[in-house]
Amino acid sequence: MELNSEAKVKENKRNRGKIVLISILFFVLAIIGFGFLYWNTHKNKIIKTELEKAIVKNNKGFYKISYDDMKIDETAGYLSARNMKVRFDSTRYQTSELENKVPSMVFNIDIPEINVIGVRTSRALLDKEIVGRKLEIKNPIIDLQYTYKGKDAIRNVPTQEIYRQILGDMDMIQIDSVLITGAQIRTSNRNSGKLIIDVKDVDFSLKDVKVDSAAYMDRSRFLFAKDVKVNVAKIAWPSPNRLYDYIAKNISLNSAAGTLSVNQIFISPRLGENAFVNAIPTQDDRFNFSFNNVVFSGVNMQKLSDEYLKAETMTIGRSVFKIYRDLARPRDKKNRVGYYPQQVLDDVPMIFNIGKVNVRNSFVEYKERNHITRQSGLVQFYSVNGSITNFTNDKHSPNKVMKAFINSSFLNKTSLKTNWTFYLFHPKGRFDVSGNMGAIEGKDVNPLAEPMGPASIKEGRFNGLTFDLHGNDYSMNGTVKLLYDDLKVAILEKDKGATETDKKFLTSLLANFVIKNSNPKGDNDVRVQQVNLSRNTNRSLFYLCWKTIFKGIRGTVGIKQPGEVASK
């Protein structure tokens, strides 16, 4: 039952976009169409109050419409209205609560100016058809309030009958162009009043709009139009825990070209590093991400209208990914089985299938503050370039293998290449990862080794690292090969009451006596470590990979620690 409940929640989320687009646009169209029909059939009686009453009756009393001025030129086929307001009736809403018939969403709309040009009134009267040249809506303010009650509005309307719901008693609505400029859209939780999403400065341009049974079957149309262009200046919404702001800027959609682009995307923490750590009860990663020039190409617009993002490619320009964690905080007890990256794709509130994702010239940083030394170590990857094939959460897709190929510069000192294979929807979270790293001087690793080790590499050179690993929800195994020469280390410890770590001569001497300072050593064969590690299910996939590689490195160097679990 829990799985069915989760599926329904996801389906509701995926349908909200369709509710917004169709409800706003065609509710207005229906009002305009009714106005023309009413004018032609009641020329001698039409007055403002009578028209308002008729519209209230048409929407079963849930919404009321008002406006300051409406002008209709029957001969020219022209209609204009100023300060049109559509309001849901709070009294009717309270009644619906008592009747247990509350809609899943209610909305208020303010339209300062609306113009319709070139409407053929004779066809509207005789043929039940609205045919016009242009619909223009300027600076509308749209307030959508989700009630989270009752049945989802879209699920009450089968997809095949959407056009019939829009038409009502009409046979066809056809308009050459629909232009909506400067729209402001705000969605919120009606029960709590909390903001869900805030959309600024939206422009819609729809060309050759036609609503009838034939247009619905026309696969070349998107939102009933031959050509749709959408530009959004900014979309912003907070994370559920209010620790982050999610922001997208300069979004553009072009249905004819099959493209969707976002100039900038930010996942921005509201608090600094220390304040963030103090605001949460247990350890957690603090994310600070920025994406630039995200472009989807070859977008299937018909599927997009059905809440399914299918695209040939997705390209991400230079982006920055920064992660911070303080190990002094206690860990939570959460079991993270089922939370690998390929497994959480199903949590995305939209089904997607992207043939290839390209990442260009990006930067990744993981910063960790040690609980003993209280120093922060940095793992940095520069010039990150990569590709992901078959990036999807569609369980019906015939291809169940997703691959990622990532190249970078480790610490901006040497190359690192990794190849990932994820077996999508595998019951045990199966994946493979292999890679190789180039040569690097031992001292170049100290910014990472000293605060996180804690150890300092005094001499030596790493000539290369290769690994080939196979993992699942509970373990990882494979091979690790580290080549190096003349390795010498100094062990760092912090005395009680001290504020900084210092080198321990005796401990360092013993460590250098135990370790094998080269691989290969002289004419001996290269040592390759077979590794097998049980996963601590409280930890992530990337932690499991790192601990497995580190176990192989430690075994190669000669430091043994049997029976290890990836836990510390």
Side-chain angles (χ1 to χ4, degrees):
M1 293 299 292
E2 290 182 359
L3 291 176
N4 290 335
S5 177
E6 289 179 5
K8 289 181 179 179
V9 171
K10 291 176 183 177
E11 184 66 22
N12 289 348
K13 290 180 180 178
R14 290 168 179 165
N15 284 327
R16 288 177 188 164
K18 191 183 298 182
I19 294 172
V20 173
L21 289 171
I22 293 176
S23 298
I24 294 168
L25 177 59
F26 293 110
F27 186 84
V28 174
L29 286 174
I31 292 172
I32 295 167
F34 189 87
F36 271 103
L37 284 175
Y38 198 83
W39 168 258
N40 281 279
T41 54
H42 300 81
K43 294 178 183 179
N44 296 328
K45 296 182 179 179
I46 186 166
I47 55 175
K48 178 178 178 180
T49 55
E50 290 298 318
L51 181 57
E52 292 174 5
K53 288 180 181 179
I55 292 172
V56 169
K57 180 180 179 181
N58 192 51
N59 62 62
K60 300 180 181 180
F62 216 95
Y63 290 91
K64 295 182 178 180
I65 185 170
S66 64
Y67 48 88
D68 290 347
D69 179 49
M70 177 178 284
K71 297 179 180 178
I72 301 177
D73 187 330
E74 178 187 7
T75 304
Y78 173 80
L79 178 148
S80 69
R82 299 292 181 270
N83 297 325
M84 179 179 286
K85 299 180 185 296
V86 180
R87 294 284 185 273
F88 76 89
D89 189 328
S90 58
T91 303
R92 179 70 182 87
Y93 181 86
Q94 292 174 356
T95 302
S96 70
E97 285 187 309
L98 297 175
E99 298 172 348
N100 198 26
K101 295 181 180 179
V102 177
S104 62
M105 179 191 72
V106 294
F107 57 85
N108 296 316
I109 304 176
D110 288 1
I111 305 177
E113 182 178 347
I114 181 169
N115 300 302
V116 185
I117 301 169
V119 174
R120 302 177 188 175
T121 55
S122 60
R123 292 187 64 171
L125 179 61
L126 300 175
D127 300 327
K128 292 187 176 181
E129 296 178 352
I130 297 178
V131 178
R133 191 166 70 250
K134 184 177 182 180
L135 166 63
E136 184 179 46
I137 301 174
K138 296 183 179 181
N139 304 316
I141 299 174
I142 301 158
D143 176 28
L144 306 172
Q145 302 175 23
Y146 292 102
T147 66
Y148 300 99
K149 297 178 182 179
K151 295 182 179 180
D152 189 279
I154 280 294
R155 288 191 286 111
N156 292 330
V157 182
T159 304
Q160 292 82 353
E161 297 179 5
I162 288 176
Y163 75 92
R164 177 50 57 193
Q165 299 296 322
I166 295 167
L167 290 172
D169 294 331
M170 303 295 295
D171 292 329
M172 181 185 72
I173 297 175
Q174 181 174 336
I175 298 180
D176 293 342
S177 67
V178 176
L179 185 63
I180 304 174
T181 57
Q184 315 293 322
I185 304 172
R186 184 183 189 275
T187 69
S188 62
N189 183 325
R190 176 166 172 76
N191 304 313
S192 67
K194 288 185 177 180
L195 174 71
I196 298 175
I197 191 168
D198 191 21
V199 186
K200 298 290 188 182
D201 300 325
V202 185
D203 295 337
F204 288 90
S205 173
L206 295 87
K207 299 293 180 64
D208 190 6
V209 180
K210 188 175 183 181
V211 185
D212 64 3
S213 58
Y216 174 75
M217 298 304 295
D218 186 348
R219 309 309 293 175
S220 67
R221 291 181 180 272
F222 175 57
L223 297 178
F224 299 96
K226 281 287 188 179
D227 181 21
V228 177
K229 291 183 175 66
V230 181
N231 293 293
V232 183
K234 180 180 177 181
I235 300 177
W237 67 101
S239 64
N241 59 14
R242 292 318 199 245
L243 291 175
Y244 294 94
D245 286 316
Y246 302 140
I247 301 170
K249 292 184 177 181
N250 300 322
I251 305 155
S252 297
L253 181 145
N254 187 321
S255 67
T259 59
L260 172 63
S261 64
V262 187
N263 185 251
Q264 290 180 308
I265 301 173
F266 299 98
I267 300 176
S268 300
R270 293 183 170 183
L271 302 174
E273 291 177 350
N274 291 334
F276 180 92
V277 169
N278 293 327
I280 54 179
T282 57
Q283 279 185 40
D284 202 357
D285 291 327
R286 175 184 179 271
F287 301 108
N288 191 352
F289 294 172
S290 63
F291 305 80
N292 290 288
N293 301 320
V294 179
V295 179
F296 297 86
S297 301
V299 178
N300 186 317
M301 293 295 165
Q302 279 297 322
K303 287 188 175 295
L304 186 61
S305 67
D306 293 330
E307 307 298 324
Y308 185 130
L309 176 57
K310 184 175 179 62
E312 295 174 3
T313 62
M314 173 185 177
T315 300
I316 303 174
R318 175 167 174 75
S319 300
V320 176
F321 307 87
K322 292 185 176 182
I323 304 169
Y324 173 76
R325 177 178 283 254
D326 190 334
L327 299 185
R329 303 295 288 175
R331 289 197 61 84
D332 62 27
K333 305 298 182 181
K334 182 177 180 179
N335 186 328
R336 287 180 169 80
V337 171
Y339 284 84
Y340 282 166
Q342 76 276 22
Q343 294 171 318
V344 299
L345 294 179
D346 191 47
D347 292 336
V348 177
M350 173 182 277
I351 299 175
F352 60 87
N353 190 323
I354 301 170
K356 188 175 184 180
V357 178
N358 298 305
V359 180
R360 306 277 175 80
N361 194 30
S362 295
F363 173 78
V364 178
E365 175 186 281
Y366 176 70
K367 181 179 179 182
E368 182 178 280
R369 192 177 186 190
N370 189 279
H371 62 295
I372 298 174
T373 67
R374 301 310 291 149
Q375 297 181 43
S376 295
L378 292 175
V379 184
Q380 295 176 322
F381 303 89
Y382 293 78
S383 303
V384 179
N385 292 278
S387 64
I388 304 172
T389 59
N390 192 41
F391 185 57
T392 183
N393 63 355
D394 184 358
K395 294 181 179 179
H396 301 290
S397 174
N399 188 352
K400 297 295 191 295
V401 177
M402 179 174 69
K403 294 187 176 183
F405 310 91
I406 302 173
N407 301 326
S408 66
S409 176
F410 177 63
L411 300 179
N412 210 21
K413 297 292 184 179
T414 188
S415 65
L416 174 63
K417 299 180 180 180
T418 58
N419 299 326
W420 301 78
T421 300
F422 300 98
Y423 300 89
L424 300 176
F425 318 114
H426 190 278
K428 293 185 178 180
R430 180 187 169 194
F431 70 97
D432 303 324
V433 57
S434 62
N436 62 82
M437 187 177 74
I440 185 172
E441 294 295 331
K443 293 181 179 180
D444 289 336
V445 184
N446 281 333
L448 165 64
E450 290 180 355
M452 299 173 70
S456 177
I457 299 173
K458 307 310 295 179
E459 295 181 20
R461 175 181 172 83
F462 298 105
N463 297 316
L465 170 70
T466 61
F467 51 90
D468 186 7
L469 307 171
H470 314 281
N472 57 46
D473 282 330
Y474 301 100
S475 65
M476 173 166 271
N477 64 80
T479 60
V480 176
K481 180 173 69 174
L482 175 67
L483 305 179
Y484 61 96
D485 290 318
D486 303 321
L487 182 64
K488 292 185 180 179
V489 300
I491 304 301
L492 304 178
E493 295 181 7
K494 188 165 85 168
D495 293 329
K496 186 175 182 181
T499 59
E500 296 182 357
T501 58
D502 61 3
K503 300 172 187 176
K504 296 301 179 182
F505 174 77
L506 182 58
T507 308
S508 299
L509 180 64
L510 291 173
N512 286 302
F513 180 77
V514 171
I515 66 173
K516 302 171 183 178
N517 62 359
S518 296
N519 185 31
K521 188 173 182 65
D523 295 330
N524 295 333
D525 292 337
V526 173
R527 301 188 302 278
V528 178
Q529 285 294 308
Q530 298 287 333
V531 289
N532 194 320
L533 190 67
S534 296
R535 178 194 179 192
N536 178 341
T537 54
N538 180 243
R539 299 284 190 164
S540 69
L541 175 145
F542 299 106
Y543 190 86
L544 174 63
C545 293
W546 160 243
K547 291 297 286 187
T548 305
I549 293 171
F550 187 70
K551 182 180 181 180
I553 292 173
R554 192 176 57 239
T556 302
V557 172
I559 303 173
K560 303 292 185 181
Q561 187 176 341
E564 181 179 10
V565 175
S567 60
K568 296 183 179 180

